[in-house]
């Protein structure tokens, strides 16, 4: 019936009622914390473009991981920044390389209590900053890159990763890594596929986080922002190739894509989204200038990602939000 019989505001009257009827709920276990570890550091370094986020030493990484696990989050996603970079990203597959030794550190420190993930991509390790090896003309060589991804997947699995995050957007990358892992007997190592990853302007602060050496851009392998149907094709291919989880990245500007993926009956694996560095930086900067309520904006942004269909959210606010949720904070 219409007004005055129908009064939807009855279900918004008190915080207790709003909690009871909430359609979207957020839990600490839904959250994954991306973390950066840098080989050359003796002390952790704060990032100017991402207040509250650090480049870690191996020791500070271990301490931060313990704090994250104690806060109750669901997992950790690790990125490594080596001292030496070369054309093929040799440090990515070196057992003594920073990403692999740091993953082994986390396996020993918190491996029994959380899900350990690592970024499987070459961009942090190459001197040109691209996600793969280059041809003589400077183009990214898809199939040669797959061989490097296979070696990197094996190295990360040996170091203790539960999941490897195939983020490079090379054609066939999931199948290649799955084949290598299975061939080596690493049947239990999962693949967290960045199924739909767009060439976004919002990655900017991440460049500082990993000391990016990128020359040019990644538009020849990451997706065009205007393409929506293409994401379904990419995701379907990754699932067919053996992905255990699927990611949409970035999150906030691609909530329509995320909703498409999450509602697609052919997507039978868990769906995640990455709230990336630019999304984090925008809210932090606006809040620092007094333009928005930081805490409410953070929660609202995460709820929107969950509402669109993400089961898992990678966010740099994972620990602080988990603590707020554990304390019983109202989501709005």
């Amino acid at each position: 019936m219409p007004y005055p019989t129908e009064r939807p505001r009855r279900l918004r009257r008190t915080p207790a009622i709003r909690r009871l009827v909430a359609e979207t709920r957020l839990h600490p276990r839904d959250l994954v914390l991306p973390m950066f570890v840098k080989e050359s550091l003796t002390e952790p370094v704060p990032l100017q473009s991402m207040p509250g986020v650090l480049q870690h030493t191996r020791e500070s990484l271990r301490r931060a991981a313990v704090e994250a696990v104690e806060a109750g989050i669901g997992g950790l996603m690790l990125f490594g920044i080596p001292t030496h970079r070369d054309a093929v990203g040799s440090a990515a597959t070196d057992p003594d390389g920073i990403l692999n030794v740091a993953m082994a550190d986390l396996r020993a420190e918190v491996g029994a209590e959380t899900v350990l993930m690592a970024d499987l991509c070459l961009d942090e390790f190459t001197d040109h900053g691209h996600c793969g090896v280059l041809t003589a003309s400077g183009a990214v060589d898809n199939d040669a890159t797959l061989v490097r991804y296979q070696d990197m997947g094996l190295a990360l699995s040996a170091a203790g990763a539960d999941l490897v995050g195939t983020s490079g957007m090379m054609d066939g990358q999931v199948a290649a890594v799955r084949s290598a892992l299975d061939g080596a007997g690493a049947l239990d190592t999962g693949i967290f596929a960045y199924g739909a990853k767009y060439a976004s302007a919002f990655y900017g602060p991440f460049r500082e986080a990993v000391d990016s050496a990128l020359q040019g851009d990644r538009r020849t392998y990451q997706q065009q922002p205007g393409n929506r149907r293409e994401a379904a094709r990419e995701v379907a291919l990754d699932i067919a190739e053996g992905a255990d989880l699927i990611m949409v990245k970035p999150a906030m500007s691609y909530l329509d894509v995320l909703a498409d993926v999450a509602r697609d009956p052919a997507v039978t694996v868990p769906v995640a989204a990455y709230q990336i560095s630019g999304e984090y930086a925008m809210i932090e900067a606006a809040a620092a200038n007094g333009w928005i309520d930081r805490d409410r904006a953070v929660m609202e942004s995460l709820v929107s990602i969950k509402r669109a269909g993400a089961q898992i959210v990678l966010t740099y606010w994972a620990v602080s939000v988990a603590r707020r949720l554990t304390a019983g904070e109202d989501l709005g």
Side-chain angles (χ1 to χ4, degrees):
M1 294 183 184
Y3 174 84
T5 304
E6 283 287 341
R7 294 181 181 265
R9 284 184 56 195
R10 293 188 187 113
L11 298 183
R12 306 172 195 146
R13 187 172 57 84
T14 68
I17 293 174
R18 293 194 297 271
R19 285 194 296 270
L20 179 66
V21 301
E23 298 176 31
T24 302
R25 301 178 187 273
L26 193 62
H27 188 277
R29 295 293 182 193
D30 302 332
L31 307 176
V32 171
L33 177 66
M35 306 182 80
F36 305 100
V37 60
K38 185 173 178 178
E39 186 172 16
S40 62
L41 296 181
T42 56
E43 296 291 336
V45 174
L47 299 176
Q48 290 186 342
S49 59
M50 299 175 68
V53 178
L54 304 174
Q55 287 179 331
H56 284 285
T57 66
R58 288 174 64 183
E59 181 58 36
S60 70
L61 179 76
R62 287 193 291 266
R63 292 195 301 267
V66 170
E67 291 177 3
V69 170
E70 290 175 347
I73 70 169
L76 307 172
M77 174 65 82
L78 188 59
F79 297 83
I81 307 155
T83 299
H84 171 73
R85 288 168 163 161
D86 59 27
V88 297
S90 299
T93 52
D94 182 350
D96 295 321
I98 184 60
L99 183 59
N100 295 315
V101 296
M103 176 55 68
D105 290 342
L106 294 185
R107 171 55 56 192
E109 191 76 43
V110 296
E113 303 167 80
T114 195
V115 181
L116 297 179
M117 316 171 195
D119 183 55
L120 195 164
C121 195
L122 295 177
D123 58 320
E124 293 102 62
F125 301 93
T126 55
D127 54 12
H128 46 73
H130 277 286
C131 297
V133 298
L134 304 183
T135 65
S137 65
V140 175
D141 187 328
N142 189 98
D143 294 4
T145 298
L146 296 184
V147 177
R148 296 292 297 132
Y149 284 2
Q150 289 179 314
D151 291 342
M152 190 174 182
L154 293 173
L156 288 170
S157 177
D162 294 306
L163 299 168
V164 292
T166 50
S167 64
M169 290 301 287
M170 297 296 121
D171 294 337
Q173 62 185 11
V174 173
V177 173
R178 184 73 271 157
S179 174
L181 291 170
D182 290 355
L187 304 178
D188 291 334
T189 302
I191 296 178
F192 197 165
Y194 289 47
K197 182 178 180 181
Y198 286 84
S200 173
F202 294 106
Y203 296 135
F206 183 86
R207 308 280 189 255
E208 179 195 355
V210 297
D211 296 347
S212 177
L214 180 63
Q215 302 166 18
D217 59 51
R218 299 187 173 117
R219 296 180 187 180
T220 63
Y221 43 103
Q222 294 177 355
Q223 291 176 249
Q224 276 185 254
N227 288 4
R228 183 173 179 174
R229 291 193 305 272
E230 181 184 48
R233 181 186 186 194
E234 290 281 6
V235 167
L237 288 169
D238 280 358
I239 292 174
E241 291 176 16
D244 297 287
L245 298 89
I246 284 289
M247 175 97 77
V248 174
K249 181 181 181 181
M252 190 178 294
S253 294
Y254 298 89
L255 293 178
D256 58 332
V257 174
L258 173 59
D260 290 346
V261 172
R263 294 169 186 166
D264 185 346
V267 176
T268 55
V269 299
V271 176
Y274 197 144
Q275 185 180 54
I276 65 170
S277 60
E279 299 171 53
Y280 178 95
M282 286 191 300
I283 291 177
E284 289 287 350
N289 279 282
W291 297 334
I292 60 173
D293 181 321
R294 176 189 179 277
D295 289 351
R296 287 187 62 192
V298 169
M299 284 296 197
E300 186 175 339
S301 68
L302 289 168
V303 167
S304 75
I305 297 167
K306 283 284 290 182
R307 187 184 66 240
Q311 181 177 337
I312 302 161
V313 183
L314 277 71
T315 176
Y316 300 99
W317 287 303
V319 173
S320 61
V321 167
R323 289 170 176 161
R324 290 166 60 187
L325 291 171
T326 301
E329 185 166 330
D330 188 357
L331 296 185

